């Protein structure tokens, strides 16, 4: 028997609790049918443990709540904006800040500022909203992540790395004039929360500097990425998460951020840049889509909570407990024989639906099916990250991603270790009757980001 006890513990104690509703299987069956077998369409009151996402679902600290009471709700020049600006400049090193209502607000503005129709944007695997905003601005996304990232069993410690040969080919084929920037995510979400290494970032910086191409950093989960650099990369064991994060940012020219993840807030995001001209243009656009440039769609109190959340997110003890909890769940699932993406990532456990339900073809939506079955079994809500999420190409064909995954995403500072035990046991329960599980067919498909609202029926 392996020893699954880990030497981490939460660096906080619980001051307030939110009661959960437990349901029967009959209630859950009714709920998932009404939701068209799509976990996005469930009512949260029907959910016991909610692992849909780690986005906007974190528990704020007493300090953040106290900060909310200090909201300066002036239309222009709110004190809280300057606190946030200071937190971003000090911790991430970017010069100019544009707050936005959340990550995709920043992606919209950044894409509109930097992309011209016909451009190419290489990146280390797509993210749904990021790629869509690039495409809506007229660009084509090209995946330049290393091949290992598409293999759920490969143990590469930095599956978020860019393959510089692939990037070189894209540059040779299209020329630097067509490539406004390369889009680099830390903790690559769709690959399973996999990190990029500092060495790879440094090489990428040297390459892009030679060609005059920007690096735009999707820094949504940068602190979790820093944890893996500290644990796995030579020379970083003695550096703090704060130092590592600042170094990561220093190799990039600008960023988009969904502060709903790392930065421990329920709403908020920003765009940051080191270039004055880009900032000026973005500051012009933010007033069209989000709000004045000193609030960007947020209340003063939201910006204050974010400024404090950024500080808390960079604490070593916080991040070790956060990733430690994810690893605890992952090791438990592995001990039960549940097929998961290796190595275990930073924000959740990604169950491999192709191996879990090998009798289903990708057209029968194995990950969508598995997410519905897990909910039916225990009221645990997870998210499909496979063929439904990947959507269709501009020409209407489906993307068929290699990874067909169900994400068990862990909100920060919310659930206990006993919750993790219940979750793993539910995955085991479903695994025991996997052979008898039938797939789904899609009966309603929205045009954009179809996974949010698509509806399904069971195949018989
Ligand atoms: C997540 C989310 C939220 C989400 C978004 C789309 C579909 C399902 C769930 C959001 C991210 C993200 C990265 C790396 C940008 C955004 C957009 N993730 N980059 O994982 O993970 O940020 O949601 O604040 O607009 O559940 P936004």
């Amino acid at each position: 028997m392996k020893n699954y006890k880990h030497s981490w513990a939460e660096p906080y104690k619980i001051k307030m609790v939110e009661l959960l509703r437990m349901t029967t299987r009959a209630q859950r069956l009714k709920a998932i049918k009404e939701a068209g077998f799509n976990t996005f369409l469930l009512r949260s009151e029907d959910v016991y443990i909610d692992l849909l996402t780690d986005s906007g679902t974190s528990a704020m600290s007493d300090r953040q709540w106290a900060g909310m009471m200090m909201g300066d709700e002036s239309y222009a020049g709110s004190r809280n904006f300057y606190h946030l600006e200071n937190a971003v400049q000090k911790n991430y090193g970017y010069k100019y800040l544009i707050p936005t209502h959340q990550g995709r607000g920043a992606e919209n503005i950044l894409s509109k500022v930097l992309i011209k129709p016909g451009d190419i944007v290489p990146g280390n695997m797509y993210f749904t909203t990021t790629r869509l905003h690039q495409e809506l601005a007229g660009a084509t996304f090209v995946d330049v992540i290393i091949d290992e990232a598409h293999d759920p069993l490969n143990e590469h410690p930095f599956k978020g790395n860019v393959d510089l040969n692939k990037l070189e080919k894209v540059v040779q084929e299209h020329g630097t004039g067509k490539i406004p920037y390369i889009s680099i995510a830390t903790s690559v979400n769709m690959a399973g929360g996999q990190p990029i290494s500092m060495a790879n970032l440094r090489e990428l910086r040297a390459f892009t500097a030679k060609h005059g191409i920007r690096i735009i950093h999707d820094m949504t989960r940068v602190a979790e990425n820093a944890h893996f650099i500290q644990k796995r990369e030579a020379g970083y064991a003695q550096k703090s998460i704060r130092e590592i994060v600042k170094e990561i940012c220093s190799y990039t020219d600008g960023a988009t951020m969904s502060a709903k993840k790392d930065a421990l807030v329920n709403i908020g995001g920003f765009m940051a840049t080191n270039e004055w001209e880009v900032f000026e243009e973005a500051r012009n656009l933010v007033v069209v889509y989000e709000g004045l440039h000193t609030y960007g769609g947020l209340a003063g109190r939201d910006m204050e909570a974010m400024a404090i959340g950024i500080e808390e997110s960079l604490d070593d003890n916080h991040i070790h407990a956060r990733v430690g909890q994810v690893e605890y769940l992952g090791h438990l699932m592995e001990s039960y024989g549940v097929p998961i993406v290796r190595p275990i990532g930073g924000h959740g456990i990604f169950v491999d639906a192709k191996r879990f339900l090998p009798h289903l073809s990708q057209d029968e939506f194995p990950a969508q099916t598995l997410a519905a079955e897990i909910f039916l079994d225990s009221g645990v809500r997870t998210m499909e990250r496979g063929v439904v999420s990947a959507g269709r190409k501009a020409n209407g064909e489906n993307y068929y991603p290699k990874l067909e995954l169900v994400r068990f995403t862990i909100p920060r500072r919310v659930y206990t270790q006993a919750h993790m035990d219940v979750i793993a046991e539910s995955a085991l329960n479903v695994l025991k009757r996997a052979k008898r599980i039938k797939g789904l067919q899609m009966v309603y498909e929205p045009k954009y980001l179809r996974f949010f609202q698509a509806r399904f029926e069971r195949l018989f």
Side-chain angles (χ1 to χ4, degrees), residues 40 52-55 101-105 107 127-130 185-190 218-221 256-261 267-269 347 383 385 389 407 409 449 451-452:
F40 278 106
L52 184 71
T53 177
D54 62 332
S55 179
H101 78 284
Q102 59 184 81
R104 70 198 74 179
E107 291 167 350
F127 184 72
T128 52
T129 58
T130 319
T186 34
S187 295
V188 179
N189 193 352
M190 301 302 276
D218 181 341
M219 60 182 301
T220 297
R221 297 182 182 84
T256 55
M257 167 72 150
S258 170
K260 302 172 71 172
K261 286 81 167 172
I267 194 71
H347 65 305
M383 188 191 288
R385 296 277 82 169
S389 294
R407 188 181 69 174
T409 343
L449 303 173
F451 51 89
F452 281 129

Side-chain angles (χ1 to χ4, degrees), residues 325-343:
Q325 187 177 46
V326 174
E327 285 175 344
Y328 173 85
L329 174 62
H331 290 147
L332 202 55
M333 282 198 185
E334 283 185 311
S335 76
Y336 291 159
V338 177
I340 68 171
V341 173
R342 295 281 317 167

Side-chain angles (χ1 to χ4, degrees), residues 228-390:
F228 291 115
I229 289 177
Q230 192 185 55
K231 290 282 171 278
R232 299 179 187 163
E233 195 161 351
Y236 288 92
Q238 302 307 321
K239 294 228 159 104
S240 67
I241 294 294
R242 215 173 274 278
E243 289 167 324
I244 298 171
V245 163
K246 194 135 184 208
E247 186 180 341
I248 292 173
C249 295
S250 76
Y251 299 130
T252 69
D253 303 291
T256 55
M257 167 72 150
S258 170
K260 302 172 71 172
K261 286 81 167 172
D262 249 14
L264 298 164
V265 286
N266 303 122
I267 194 71
F270 60 78
M271 186 197 123
T273 171
N274 290 333
E275 295 172 83
W276 173 257
E277 301 74 34
V278 172
F279 172 61
E280 249 194 331
E281 189 70 25
R283 203 169 43 166
N284 268 315
L285 278 184
V286 75
V287 299
V288 180
Y289 293 103
E290 302 279 320
L292 194 71
H293 62 283
T294 56
Y295 77 84
L298 297 169
R301 55 180 172 268
D302 298 328
M303 292 188 284
E304 190 64 29
M306 203 195 302
I308 298 168
I310 287 171
E311 293 291 344
E312 291 181 2
S313 77
L314 300 175
D315 177 75
D316 281 62
N317 295 319
H318 159 72
I319 208 77
H320 296 161
R322 191 285 186 279
V323 181
Q325 187 177 46
V326 174
E327 285 175 344
Y328 173 85
L329 174 62
H331 290 147
L332 202 55
M333 282 198 185
E334 283 185 311
S335 76
Y336 291 159
V338 177
I340 68 171
V341 173
R342 295 281 317 167
I344 293 167
H347 65 305
I349 300 303
F350 290 67
V351 172
D352 185 351
K354 280 189 182 169
R355 275 189 291 148
F356 201 112
L357 300 171
H359 56 291
L360 298 189
S361 78
Q362 222 167 354
D363 287 317
E364 295 167 306
F365 308 112
Q368 189 78 29
T369 304
L370 183 53
E373 291 293 331
I374 294 279
F375 172 76
L376 256 178
D377 181 73
S378 57
V380 170
R381 169 157 70 172
T382 57
M383 188 191 288
E384 194 265 6
R385 296 277 82 169
V387 67
V388 184
S389 294

